[in-house]
PDB file of all heavy atoms in Angstrom:
ATOM      1  N   ALA A 246     -11.661 -34.471  32.961  1.00 98.00           N
ATOM      2  CA  ALA A 246     -11.909 -35.738  33.662  1.00 98.00           C
ATOM      3  C   ALA A 246     -11.230 -36.881  32.905  1.00 98.00           C
ATOM      4  O   ALA A 246     -11.886 -37.699  32.267  1.00 98.00           O
ATOM      5  CB  ALA A 246     -13.413 -35.993  33.777  1.00 98.00           C
ATOM      6  N   PRO A 247      -9.893 -36.952  32.983  1.00 98.00           N
ATOM      7  CA  PRO A 247      -9.162 -37.944  32.176  1.00 98.00           C
ATOM      8  C   PRO A 247      -9.529 -39.388  32.521  1.00 98.00           C
ATOM      9  O   PRO A 247      -9.748 -39.733  33.687  1.00 98.00           O
ATOM     10  CB  PRO A 247      -7.693 -37.666  32.533  1.00 98.00           C
ATOM     11  CG  PRO A 247      -7.675 -36.279  33.093  1.00 98.00           C
ATOM     12  CD  PRO A 247      -8.994 -36.103  33.776  1.00 98.00           C
ATOM     13  N   ALA A 248      -9.594 -40.208  31.488  1.00 98.00           N
ATOM     14  CA  ALA A 248      -9.953 -41.616  31.674  1.00 98.00           C
ATOM     15  C   ALA A 248      -8.969 -42.347  32.576  1.00 98.00           C
ATOM     16  O   ALA A 248      -9.361 -43.242  33.334  1.00 98.00           O
ATOM     17  CB  ALA A 248     -10.047 -42.315  30.319  1.00 98.00           C
ATOM     18  N   GLN A 249      -7.675 -41.974  32.509  1.00 98.00           N
ATOM     19  CA  GLN A 249      -6.687 -42.674  33.332  1.00 98.00           C
ATOM     20  C   GLN A 249      -6.843 -42.372  34.816  1.00 98.00           C
ATOM     21  O   GLN A 249      -6.240 -43.028  35.662  1.00 98.00           O
ATOM     22  CB  GLN A 249      -5.261 -42.346  32.884  1.00 98.00           C
ATOM     23  CG  GLN A 249      -4.837 -40.901  33.086  1.00 98.00           C
ATOM     24  CD  GLN A 249      -5.066 -40.051  31.864  1.00 98.00           C
ATOM     25  OE1 GLN A 249      -5.931 -40.355  31.042  1.00 98.00           O
ATOM     26  NE2 GLN A 249      -4.283 -38.982  31.726  1.00 98.00           N
ATOM     27  N   ASN A 250      -7.701 -41.375  35.146  1.00 98.00           N
ATOM     28  CA  ASN A 250      -7.984 -41.048  36.548  1.00 98.00           C
ATOM     29  C   ASN A 250      -9.357 -41.533  36.986  1.00 98.00           C
ATOM     30  O   ASN A 250      -9.833 -41.156  38.064  1.00 98.00           O
ATOM     31  CB  ASN A 250      -7.895 -39.541  36.767  1.00 98.00           C
ATOM     32  CG  ASN A 250      -6.516 -38.982  36.470  1.00 98.00           C
ATOM     33  OD1 ASN A 250      -6.355 -38.181  35.553  1.00 98.00           O
ATOM     34  ND2 ASN A 250      -5.505 -39.429  37.198  1.00 98.00           N
ATOM     35  N   LEU A 251      -9.988 -42.377  36.159  1.00 98.00           N
ATOM     36  CA  LEU A 251     -11.247 -43.016  36.549  1.00 98.00           C
ATOM     37  C   LEU A 251     -10.925 -44.330  37.261  1.00 98.00           C
ATOM     38  O   LEU A 251     -10.296 -45.219  36.684  1.00 98.00           O
ATOM     39  CB  LEU A 251     -12.115 -43.278  35.313  1.00 98.00           C
ATOM     40  CG  LEU A 251     -13.371 -44.142  35.519  1.00 98.00           C
ATOM     41  CD1 LEU A 251     -14.346 -43.482  36.492  1.00 98.00           C
ATOM     42  CD2 LEU A 251     -14.060 -44.418  34.177  1.00 98.00           C
ATOM     43  N   VAL A 252     -11.354 -44.450  38.511  1.00 98.00           N
ATOM     44  CA  VAL A 252     -11.127 -45.649  39.318  1.00 98.00           C
ATOM     45  C   VAL A 252     -12.484 -46.295  39.594  1.00 98.00           C
ATOM     46  O   VAL A 252     -13.405 -45.636  40.094  1.00 98.00           O
ATOM     47  CB  VAL A 252     -10.429 -45.310  40.647  1.00 98.00           C
ATOM     48  CG1 VAL A 252     -10.205 -46.581  41.465  1.00 98.00           C
ATOM     49  CG2 VAL A 252      -9.106 -44.601  40.391  1.00 98.00           C
ATOM     50  N   GLN A 253     -12.590 -47.590  39.288  1.00 98.00           N
ATOM     51  CA  GLN A 253     -13.863 -48.293  39.411  1.00 98.00           C
ATOM     52  C   GLN A 253     -13.705 -49.454  40.390  1.00 98.00           C
ATOM     53  O   GLN A 253     -12.938 -50.386  40.163  1.00 98.00           O
ATOM     54  CB  GLN A 253     -14.308 -48.771  38.027  1.00 98.00           C
ATOM     55  CG  GLN A 253     -14.513 -47.591  37.072  1.00 98.00           C
ATOM     56  CD  GLN A 253     -14.706 -48.017  35.630  1.00 98.00           C
ATOM     57  OE1 GLN A 253     -13.740 -48.332  34.939  1.00 98.00           O
ATOM     58  NE2 GLN A 253     -15.950 -48.023  35.174  1.00 98.00           N
ATOM     59  N   LEU A 254     -14.447 -49.377  41.498  1.00 98.00           N
ATOM     60  CA  LEU A 254     -14.293 -50.315  42.603  1.00 98.00           C
ATOM     61  C   LEU A 254     -15.524 -51.210  42.733  1.00 98.00           C
ATOM     62  O   LEU A 254     -16.645 -50.708  42.842  1.00 98.00           O
ATOM     63  CB  LEU A 254     -14.085 -49.550  43.921  1.00 98.00           C
ATOM     64  CG  LEU A 254     -12.893 -48.593  43.976  1.00 98.00           C
ATOM     65  CD1 LEU A 254     -12.880 -47.837  45.303  1.00 98.00           C
ATOM     66  CD2 LEU A 254     -11.583 -49.340  43.774  1.00 98.00           C
ATOM     67  N   GLY A 255     -15.301 -52.526  42.704  1.00 98.00           N
ATOM     68  CA  GLY A 255     -16.383 -53.482  42.939  1.00 98.00           C
ATOM     69  C   GLY A 255     -16.986 -54.087  41.691  1.00 98.00           C
ATOM     70  O   GLY A 255     -17.994 -54.799  41.769  1.00 98.00           O
ATOM     71  N   ILE A 256     -16.380 -53.846  40.534  1.00 97.00           N
ATOM     72  CA  ILE A 256     -16.957 -54.294  39.260  1.00 97.00           C
ATOM     73  C   ILE A 256     -16.990 -55.825  39.191  1.00 97.00           C
ATOM     74  O   ILE A 256     -16.047 -56.504  39.605  1.00 97.00           O
ATOM     75  CB  ILE A 256     -16.122 -53.755  38.075  1.00 97.00           C
ATOM     76  CG1 ILE A 256     -15.985 -52.222  38.154  1.00 97.00           C
ATOM     77  CG2 ILE A 256     -16.721 -54.186  36.749  1.00 97.00           C
ATOM     78  CD1 ILE A 256     -17.271 -51.460  38.161  1.00 97.00           C
ATOM     79  N   GLY A 257     -18.074 -56.363  38.633  1.00 96.00           N
ATOM     80  CA  GLY A 257     -18.137 -57.811  38.451  1.00 96.00           C
ATOM     81  C   GLY A 257     -19.551 -58.345  38.317  1.00 96.00           C
ATOM     82  O   GLY A 257     -20.524 -57.597  38.344  1.00 96.00           O
ATOM     83  N   GLY A 258     -19.644 -59.642  38.151  1.00 94.00           N
ATOM     84  CA  GLY A 258     -20.945 -60.297  38.035  1.00 94.00           C
ATOM     85  C   GLY A 258     -21.358 -60.488  36.586  1.00 94.00           C
ATOM     86  O   GLY A 258     -20.556 -60.419  35.658  1.00 94.00           O
ATOM     87  N   TRP A 259     -22.660 -60.690  36.400  1.00 94.00           N
ATOM     88  CA  TRP A 259     -23.212 -61.093  35.110  1.00 94.00           C
ATOM     89  C   TRP A 259     -23.914 -59.955  34.390  1.00 94.00           C
ATOM     90  O   TRP A 259     -24.729 -60.190  33.500  1.00 94.00           O
ATOM     91  CB  TRP A 259     -24.190 -62.251  35.321  1.00 94.00           C
ATOM     92  CG  TRP A 259     -23.505 -63.501  35.766  1.00 94.00           C
ATOM     93  CD1 TRP A 259     -23.316 -63.918  37.051  1.00 94.00           C
ATOM     94  CD2 TRP A 259     -22.897 -64.492  34.931  1.00 94.00           C
ATOM     95  NE1 TRP A 259     -22.623 -65.100  37.079  1.00 94.00           N
ATOM     96  CE2 TRP A 259     -22.355 -65.483  35.780  1.00 94.00           C
ATOM     97  CE3 TRP A 259     -22.744 -64.632  33.546  1.00 94.00           C
ATOM     98  CZ2 TRP A 259     -21.685 -66.601  35.304  1.00 94.00           C
ATOM     99  CZ3 TRP A 259     -22.081 -65.744  33.062  1.00 94.00           C
ATOM    100  CH2 TRP A 259     -21.561 -66.724  33.940  1.00 94.00           C
ATOM    101  N   GLN A 260     -23.612 -58.707  34.774  1.00 89.00           N
ATOM    102  CA  GLN A 260     -24.323 -57.575  34.169  1.00 89.00           C
ATOM    103  C   GLN A 260     -23.354 -56.523  33.637  1.00 89.00           C
ATOM    104  O   GLN A 260     -23.667 -55.334  33.631  1.00 89.00           O
ATOM    105  CB  GLN A 260     -25.244 -56.936  35.206  1.00 89.00           C
ATOM    106  CG  GLN A 260     -26.283 -57.877  35.796  1.00 89.00           C
ATOM    107  CD  GLN A 260     -26.991 -57.262  36.978  1.00 89.00           C
ATOM    108  OE1 GLN A 260     -26.756 -56.129  37.345  1.00 89.00           O
ATOM    109  NE2 GLN A 260     -27.873 -58.029  37.596  1.00 89.00           N
ATOM    110  N   VAL A 261     -22.167 -56.924  33.229  1.00 88.00           N
ATOM    111  CA  VAL A 261     -21.171 -55.964  32.751  1.00 88.00           C
ATOM    112  C   VAL A 261     -21.054 -56.099  31.234  1.00 88.00           C
ATOM    113  O   VAL A 261     -20.378 -56.997  30.735  1.00 88.00           O
ATOM    114  CB  VAL A 261     -19.800 -56.215  33.413  1.00 88.00           C
ATOM    115  CG1 VAL A 261     -18.784 -55.187  32.951  1.00 88.00           C
ATOM    116  CG2 VAL A 261     -19.938 -56.192  34.939  1.00 88.00           C
ATOM    117  N   PRO A 262     -21.725 -55.240  30.475  1.00 89.00           N
ATOM    118  CA  PRO A 262     -21.711 -55.386  29.014  1.00 89.00           C
ATOM    119  C   PRO A 262     -20.302 -55.300  28.441  1.00 89.00           C
ATOM    120  O   PRO A 262     -19.499 -54.460  28.834  1.00 89.00           O
ATOM    121  CB  PRO A 262     -22.568 -54.200  28.539  1.00 89.00           C
ATOM    122  CG  PRO A 262     -23.436 -53.872  29.707  1.00 89.00           C
ATOM    123  CD  PRO A 262     -22.604 -54.148  30.905  1.00 89.00           C
ATOM    124  N   ARG A 263     -20.020 -56.163  27.489  1.00 94.00           N
ATOM    125  CA  ARG A 263     -18.677 -56.235  26.924  1.00 94.00           C
ATOM    126  C   ARG A 263     -18.291 -54.968  26.168  1.00 94.00           C
ATOM    127  O   ARG A 263     -17.109 -54.627  26.090  1.00 94.00           O
ATOM    128  CB  ARG A 263     -18.574 -57.464  26.015  1.00 94.00           C
ATOM    129  CG  ARG A 263     -18.583 -58.770  26.799  1.00 94.00           C
ATOM    130  CD  ARG A 263     -18.479 -59.969  25.880  1.00 94.00           C
ATOM    131  NE  ARG A 263     -17.241 -59.930  25.079  1.00 94.00           N
ATOM    132  CZ  ARG A 263     -16.986 -60.754  24.072  1.00 94.00           C
ATOM    133  NH1 ARG A 263     -17.879 -61.679  23.727  1.00 94.00           N
ATOM    134  NH2 ARG A 263     -15.855 -60.661  23.397  1.00 94.00           N
ATOM    135  N   GLN A 264     -19.299 -54.252  25.601  1.00 93.00           N
ATOM    136  CA  GLN A 264     -18.971 -53.014  24.904  1.00 93.00           C
ATOM    137  C   GLN A 264     -18.271 -52.034  25.848  1.00 93.00           C
ATOM    138  O   GLN A 264     -17.336 -51.318  25.457  1.00 93.00           O
ATOM    139  CB  GLN A 264     -20.244 -52.347  24.350  1.00 93.00           C
ATOM    140  CG  GLN A 264     -21.084 -53.240  23.451  1.00 93.00           C
ATOM    141  CD  GLN A 264     -22.220 -53.903  24.213  1.00 93.00           C
ATOM    142  OE1 GLN A 264     -21.994 -54.595  25.204  1.00 93.00           O
ATOM    143  NE2 GLN A 264     -23.435 -53.671  23.737  1.00 93.00           N
ATOM    144  N   GLY A 265     -18.739 -51.979  27.100  1.00 94.00           N
ATOM    145  CA  GLY A 265     -18.135 -51.083  28.074  1.00 94.00           C
ATOM    146  C   GLY A 265     -16.757 -51.544  28.505  1.00 94.00           C
ATOM    147  O   GLY A 265     -15.856 -50.730  28.733  1.00 94.00           O
ATOM    148  N   VAL A 266     -16.572 -52.858  28.631  1.00 96.00           N
ATOM    149  CA  VAL A 266     -15.272 -53.401  29.025  1.00 96.00           C
ATOM    150  C   VAL A 266     -14.212 -53.039  27.988  1.00 96.00           C
ATOM    151  O   VAL A 266     -13.074 -52.692  28.329  1.00 96.00           O
ATOM    152  CB  VAL A 266     -15.365 -54.925  29.217  1.00 96.00           C
ATOM    153  CG1 VAL A 266     -13.988 -55.529  29.488  1.00 96.00           C
ATOM    154  CG2 VAL A 266     -16.326 -55.256  30.360  1.00 96.00           C
ATOM    155  N   LYS A 267     -14.593 -53.082  26.730  1.00 96.00           N
ATOM    156  CA  LYS A 267     -13.663 -52.719  25.661  1.00 96.00           C
ATOM    157  C   LYS A 267     -13.190 -51.272  25.829  1.00 96.00           C
ATOM    158  O   LYS A 267     -12.004 -50.961  25.648  1.00 96.00           O
ATOM    159  CB  LYS A 267     -14.335 -52.907  24.304  1.00 96.00           C
ATOM    160  CG  LYS A 267     -13.454 -52.546  23.114  1.00 96.00           C
ATOM    161  CD  LYS A 267     -14.217 -52.749  21.800  1.00 96.00           C
ATOM    162  CE  LYS A 267     -13.351 -52.349  20.605  1.00 96.00           C
ATOM    163  NZ  LYS A 267     -14.102 -52.509  19.324  1.00 96.00           N
ATOM    164  N   ILE A 268     -14.104 -50.390  26.188  1.00 96.00           N
ATOM    165  CA  ILE A 268     -13.750 -48.981  26.379  1.00 96.00           C
ATOM    166  C   ILE A 268     -12.787 -48.835  27.566  1.00 96.00           C
ATOM    167  O   ILE A 268     -11.819 -48.068  27.502  1.00 96.00           O
ATOM    168  CB  ILE A 268     -15.013 -48.121  26.594  1.00 96.00           C
ATOM    169  CG1 ILE A 268     -15.905 -48.168  25.362  1.00 96.00           C
ATOM    170  CG2 ILE A 268     -14.642 -46.685  26.950  1.00 96.00           C
ATOM    171  CD1 ILE A 268     -15.262 -47.659  24.095  1.00 96.00           C
TER     172      ILE A 268
END
Side-chain angles (χ1 to χ4, degrees):
Q249 66 266 26
N250 299 116
L251 171 62
V252 180
Q253 299 169 281
L254 302 176
I256 305 302
W259 292 93
Q260 301 170 2
V261 182
R263 289 180 59 190
Q264 305 96 303
V266 174
K267 180 181 178 182
I268 297 300

